Amino acid sequence: MSTPSLPVLPLLARRAEHRDASWTNALTAAFAGRAEVRAFEHLSEAERQATEIAIVADPDPAQLEHLPNLKWVHSLWAGVERLVGELDRPDLDIVRLSDPRMADIMAEAVLAWTLYLHRDMPIYARQQQQKIWAEADYVLPEDRRVTILGLGYLGSAAAYRLLTNGFSVRGWSRTQKSLAGIDCHSGEDGLQKVLTETDIAVILMPLTQDTRGIINAQSLAMLPASAQLINFSRGPLIDDAALLASLDSGHLKHAVLDVFDKEPLPRDDPYWTHPGVTVLPHVSGPTTQKSSAEVVAENVQTWWETGELPGSLVDRNRGY
């Protein structure tokens, strides 16, 4: 008696490293004999016709047109602004990745780089270059006001990690949130309030039409003198010219930037050599294959069994 063939799920990605054997093997292993995952290019025409679910990482929208019975896609990333913007399929549901391991990794990065600024590491690095022996004034963590801009899955985890480490933590989101121990604000008035009371701002909000350029000359001017900034979300949230001007004037003390409008960051970009900027190569919240694959498999299995989509379903009107 022949063994029934497993259903095949396609993996669509523009970059080869996101659809190579390590990803397809990790995803197939996570489905534990329930399904096989293959790169879109390796599917037969019959398999493409039968596809109802696709796993995607910045896919080419044109490929989706070859999946006529597709009902929803599961992203391997938490950020879905490109998917929302490029997929001209209003009938297609999009599910973003909500991986607890990713949230832990991001919270770790937020804590690490907040401590980097809190303990004046950029100052000491410059002093070493100039052979200056001088001690900066120490500030207690509870006296350092850290604001998380964006209180979603990743932002909430980061806020609690900072709170656990003794910082005075507040947060801002588009809609009002309630997090124990976190001073939460929302809306335009709330944004102005938290910015005026911030020593270190951490950007973790999604990129949407409403948030593009939200960190601009006006919002930067709301920050107290010598405030500092961390961007672990998306580059276009920041008006680069305004940020450089704020740094040059001395109003903003330092910026840690992990994401940029163009990546990799061009070699002639002024951020590389600016003394008030720390450049990171988009490493704050890397996707881990094993845990991400397990989340995808669990979500797909739930849909197969119940027809219910995960809670991380994207609201196209909000853009996340």
Side-chain angles (χ1 to χ4, degrees), residues 114-177:
T114 296
L115 287 168
Y116 169 83
L117 297 178
H118 170 63
R119 292 305 303 265
D120 295 312
M121 301 300 183
I123 292 176
Y124 292 125
R126 289 195 296 270
Q127 287 183 178
Q128 179 178 347
Q129 293 175 348
Q130 301 170 37
K131 301 178 182 178
I132 296 174
W133 186 280
E135 181 179 352
D137 293 334
Y138 177 70
V139 177
L140 292 167
E142 58 263 33
D143 293 329
R144 186 78 76 182
R145 302 167 299 178
V146 184
T147 296
I148 303 293
L149 299 173
L151 292 174
Y153 191 65
L154 300 180
S156 297
Y160 282 126
R161 185 69 64 92
L162 292 169
L163 189 67
T164 301
N165 282 269
F167 288 100
S168 173
V169 185
R170 62 212 65 214
W172 178 88
S173 53
R174 188 183 68 87
T175 57
Q176 185 65 33
K177 299 288 181 67

Side-chain angles (χ1 to χ4, degrees), residues 36-115:
E36 179 187 352
V37 178
R38 283 195 232 133
F40 170 83
E41 295 83 356
H42 299 155
L43 266 64
S44 68
E45 183 59 32
E47 289 167 338
R48 294 179 185 183
Q49 292 290 325
T51 294
E52 294 183 317
I53 309 166
I55 302 167
V56 300
D58 185 24
D60 179 352
Q63 291 182 326
L64 295 176
E65 299 305 317
H66 296 279
L67 305 173
N69 295 305
L70 188 64
K71 295 181 178 178
W72 62 283
V73 298
H74 200 312
S75 176
L76 288 174
W77 295 342
V80 292
E81 68 280 349
R82 191 164 185 173
L83 270 175
V84 172
E86 291 188 355
L87 296 189
D88 188 21
R89 292 274 301 272
D91 61 313
L92 199 62
D93 287 317
I94 300 172
V95 172
R96 57 184 170 80
L97 183 68
S98 291
D99 181 358
R101 179 59 61 87
M102 179 187 289
D104 288 341
I105 292 171
M106 179 61 80
E108 175 188 70
V110 169
L111 175 61
W113 291 98
T114 296
L115 287 168

Side-chain angles (χ1 to χ4, degrees), residues 114-317:
T114 296
L115 287 168
Y116 169 83
L117 297 178
H118 170 63
R119 292 305 303 265
D120 295 312
M121 301 300 183
I123 292 176
Y124 292 125
R126 289 195 296 270
Q127 287 183 178
Q128 179 178 347
Q129 293 175 348
Q130 301 170 37
K131 301 178 182 178
I132 296 174
W133 186 280
E135 181 179 352
D137 293 334
Y138 177 70
V139 177
L140 292 167
E142 58 263 33
D143 293 329
R144 186 78 76 182
R145 302 167 299 178
V146 184
T147 296
I148 303 293
L149 299 173
L151 292 174
Y153 191 65
L154 300 180
S156 297
Y160 282 126
R161 185 69 64 92
L162 292 169
L163 189 67
T164 301
N165 282 269
F167 288 100
S168 173
V169 185
R170 62 212 65 214
W172 178 88
S173 53
R174 188 183 68 87
T175 57
Q176 185 65 33
K177 299 288 181 67
S178 178
L179 302 175
I182 310 295
D183 183 17
C184 297
H185 300 266
S186 63
E188 291 186 16
D189 291 341
L191 180 60
Q192 181 172 349
K193 178 174 173 55
V194 296
L195 289 177
T196 59
E197 300 174 351
T198 295
D199 298 313
I200 299 174
V202 182
I203 306 173
L204 284 172
M205 68 183 78
L207 176 62
T208 68
Q209 291 182 346
D210 293 331
T211 61
R212 183 178 293 272
I214 193 170
I215 303 302
N216 50 38
Q218 182 180 4
S219 55
L220 288 168
M222 295 177 189
L223 291 166
S226 296
Q228 303 182 89
L229 181 145
I230 298 171
N231 187 13
F232 284 170
S233 183
R234 289 291 186 264
L237 292 167
I238 292 178
D239 179 331
D240 292 323
L243 179 60
L244 288 167
S246 186
L247 289 163
D248 290 341
S249 72
H251 179 72
L252 194 68
K253 186 177 180 181
H254 199 87
V256 176
L257 305 177
D258 184 49
V259 288
F260 305 90
D261 191 16
K262 294 181 179 179
E263 295 183 7
L265 188 65
R267 293 179 63 85
D268 61 350
D269 194 286
Y271 282 141
W272 280 116
T273 55
H274 198 289
V277 176
T278 297
V279 170
L280 302 174
H282 205 142
V283 294
S284 58
T287 300
T288 55
Q289 289 185 342
K290 185 175 185 295
S291 62
S292 298
E294 289 171 351
V295 169
V296 172
E298 181 178 349
N299 287 340
V300 171
Q301 184 67 33
T302 297
W303 185 79
W304 278 339
E305 293 175 353
T306 68
E308 295 181 5
L309 289 168
S312 52
L313 179 67
V314 172
D315 183 333
R316 284 178 177 261
N317 292 325

